[in-house]
Amino acid sequence: MTIVLIKGARPYGEGDPVDVLVEDGVITDIGSIDTPDNAEVIEAGGQVLLPGFVDLHTHLREPGREDTETIATGSAAAALGGYTAVFAMANTDPVADNAVIVDHVWRRGQEAGLVDVHPVGAVTVGLKGEKLAELGTMAKSEAKVKVFSDDGLCVADPLLMRRALEYSTALGVVIAQHAEEPRLTVGAQAHEGEQAARLGYTGWPASAEESIVARDCLLAEHANARLHVCHVSTSGTADILKWAKERGTKVSAEVTPHHLLLTDERLSTYDPVNKVNPPLRTESDAVKLRSALAEGVIDCVATDHAPHAVQDKDCEWNSARPGMLGLQTALSIVIETMVRTGLLDWRGVARVMSERPAEIGNLTDHGRPIEVGEPANLALVDPETEWTVRGAEFASIAANTPYEGMRLPGVVTATLLRGRITAREGKITQ
Ligand code: DOR
Ligand code: ZN
Ligand code: ZN
């Protein structure tokens, strides 16, 4: 039997420190506990104990771009970031649009053994936006795909989106939309606004996101389907989500750490590390996204972890690929933007980083309360210690972090997956 005793932790940062006993993957006791023989002891010293984080939106690049990330390296980055489950986006090469690929991704994740890697299935064949992929076959495969998305691209055709939503209801899965009306973003390079105009970049207007979100909320409502909106980036989208939720539409939404913290002010450096899709917006958008997350209008945080090779980022702005790393910095950015500002307490962090994403992704064994009888998927967090971001030191193969050199608060000191310690003091433990 594997036994781990976490000594002196504060679940959800509340109350006096308690000991948490984990036996064979399950929390079996919480209180003042004598150390059993053979127990591996984690001295928590009053640190905050949270349910392991769940990332609904990760790009792991395998198969196809193993020069930038693999399922194993991305899993390591996730475990170090406090995650116990991630959803791997389908825009790989080949695309994860069939049972063979999704089952392959699922198995590779199990082999790596550091987090549960749930493959996202593509909505359309080859992400081409022309023909629906076999959602049912993927949902019933070994990987039991629970989330479908053409992320990277928008399912722009309203009829296809309608059909996808209708099928998703029958299958009990969720469609996650990358909301970007392609006709409004031809050649787009940056948020359409003062900064882009000054720098001479083609603009990516807020309306390209908002028009799709509004349309999809209506389509989802009529199909009685569940819609998930990826990486909400504008203030207007938050308003639409509020309106739709008040009407009873089954819509959920995520925001990325980078859209909570960074703005298009950064673009004046011309450094493509800041290029991302959807683009960094304005300060008032970021402020609105934070309050929408605090209020639950936006349900959760998802990283959109997007590793890219040096040659695809270290080039002129227009030819650089969009995307930034996120798994090993997400918690720190949430602490900086949401906890230090008083917008969320640790219960709130558990909600947006673990409980809601697990619910949205239909996971029953993650995002669970820290209670006796529950699976021991846990993250132990030292909330005060600051660290300096060094992309080269990340477990990811790529190093494209926009936070390079920044001092950030919050260190994940241990991650447990079903009672197994996967990361400890910044190192992978298997
Ligand atoms: O910035 C992004 N990068 N946005 C996306 O939608 C796709 C992603 C990627 O795959 O690199
Ligand atoms: Zn996207
Ligand atoms: Zn993405």
Side-chain angles (χ1 to χ4, degrees):
M1 182 153 76
T2 349
I3 306 178
V4 177
L5 182 65
I6 306 170
K7 282 195 81 70
R10 295 170 64 237
Y12 309 99
E14 293 167 357
D16 292 329
V18 292
D19 307 331
V20 177
L21 183 66
V22 175
E23 294 174 296
D24 276 344
V26 176
I27 300 172
T28 51
D29 198 3
I30 299 177
S32 179
I33 301 166
D34 294 333
T35 307
D37 295 343
N38 312 326
E40 192 162 351
V41 176
I42 298 174
E43 291 289 352
Q47 290 175 8
V48 177
L49 189 64
L50 297 174
F53 309 143
V54 176
D55 192 8
L56 275 175
H57 192 144
T58 311
H59 296 273
L60 294 185
R61 304 298 189 217
E62 182 182 348
R65 285 307 299 265
E66 292 86 347
D67 58 317
T68 63
E69 193 79 290
T70 66
I71 290 166
T73 61
S75 293
L80 290 166
Y83 288 89
T84 50
V86 302
F87 286 77
M89 277 298 171
N91 66 338
T92 48
D93 183 10
V95 172
D97 62 1
N98 62 75
V100 174
I101 306 288
V102 295
D103 282 351
H104 173 76
V105 171
W106 166 254
R107 282 191 213 126
R108 297 285 284 180
Q110 291 297 301
E111 278 163 27
L114 296 171
V115 292
D116 288 342
V117 176
H118 291 280
V120 173
V123 176
T124 69
V125 174
L127 306 176
K128 287 191 163 60
E130 291 164 0
K131 200 169 104 194
L132 282 187
E134 292 192 4
L135 309 191
T137 314
M138 288 187 270
K140 290 181 185 102
S141 73
E142 189 186 346
K144 297 201 173 43
V145 177
K146 301 157 199 315
V147 179
F148 291 89
S149 181
D150 272 6
D151 182 61
L153 296 166
C154 182
V155 181
D157 181 334
L159 182 58
L160 259 184
M161 188 60 182
R162 177 184 173 180
R163 294 283 178 255
L165 287 163
E166 287 167 352
Y167 278 118
S168 75
T169 312
L171 295 169
V173 298
V174 63
I175 306 289
Q177 177 72 294
H178 167 117
E180 173 182 356
E181 167 49 60
R183 296 273 292 148
L184 294 174
T185 59
V186 176
Q189 295 292 333
H191 170 64
E192 183 179 281
E194 264 175 53
Q195 267 303 76
R198 209 160 54 74
L199 300 169
Y201 294 147
T202 305
W204 199 128
S207 58
E209 176 173 302
E210 293 155 3
S211 56
I212 292 290
V213 174
R215 180 200 80 173
D216 286 356
C217 284
L218 294 169
L219 290 174
E221 192 180 302
H222 288 290
N224 193 28
R226 274 199 313 138
L227 167 72
H228 180 71
V229 181
C230 296
H231 42 52
V232 173
S233 72
T234 82
S235 159
T237 298
D239 289 335
I240 294 161
L241 289 168
K242 187 157 197 260
W243 169 82
K245 286 186 169 196
E246 279 167 6
R247 283 167 67 91
T249 309
K250 289 184 264 178
V251 59
S252 58
E254 66 189 36
V255 61
T256 68
H258 48 270
H259 287 111
L260 290 172
L261 182 70
L262 308 176
T263 69
D264 67 348
E265 285 295 311
R266 280 205 157 214
L267 272 45
S268 50
T269 63
Y270 294 95
D271 186 344
V273 78
N274 297 306
K275 183 171 173 179
V276 66
N277 191 20
L280 301 179
R281 305 278 183 192
T282 66
E283 182 66 25
S284 64
D285 290 301
V287 168
K288 178 71 166 275
L289 296 174
R290 293 177 192 184
S291 61
L293 179 64
E295 288 165 18
V297 168
I298 294 173
D299 299 75
C300 66
V301 172
T303 64
D304 203 359
H305 177 84
H308 285 299
V310 173
Q311 67 270 24
D312 293 324
K313 278 309 240 183
D314 225 349
C315 51
E316 57 157 348
W317 184 278
N318 283 5
S319 35
R321 299 217 177 157
M324 31 184 76
L325 299 185
L327 286 168
Q328 286 184 251
T329 44
L331 175 72
S332 292
I333 304 297
V334 169
I335 294 175
E336 177 81 18
T337 56
M338 303 298 297
V339 179
R340 289 201 161 175
T341 53
L343 288 166
L344 285 183
D345 57 13
W346 292 106
R347 283 266 170 197
V349 172
R351 174 168 60 81
V352 303
M353 298 281 288
S354 180
E355 293 162 8
R356 283 299 291 141
E359 283 166 12
I360 294 163
N362 276 341
L363 303 185
T364 51
D365 51 348
H366 292 266
R368 300 291 307 163
I370 301 172
E371 284 171 10
V372 171
E374 295 288 351
N377 295 318
L378 299 165
L380 186 65
V381 173
D382 170 359
E384 294 304 327
T385 300
E386 297 200 348
W387 58 290
T388 304
V389 180
R390 296 284 173 227
E393 292 169 9
F394 285 157
S396 289
I397 297 171
N400 53 303
T401 174
Y403 313 111
E404 183 69 35
M406 277 174 72
R407 297 279 297 167
L408 294 177
V411 173
V412 176
T413 55
T415 311
L416 279 78
L417 174 66
R418 285 184 283 280
R420 261 190 316 115
I421 303 171
T422 52
R424 181 93 180 96
E425 305 291 353
K427 293 202 168 50
I428 291 298
T429 48
Q430 9 233 311

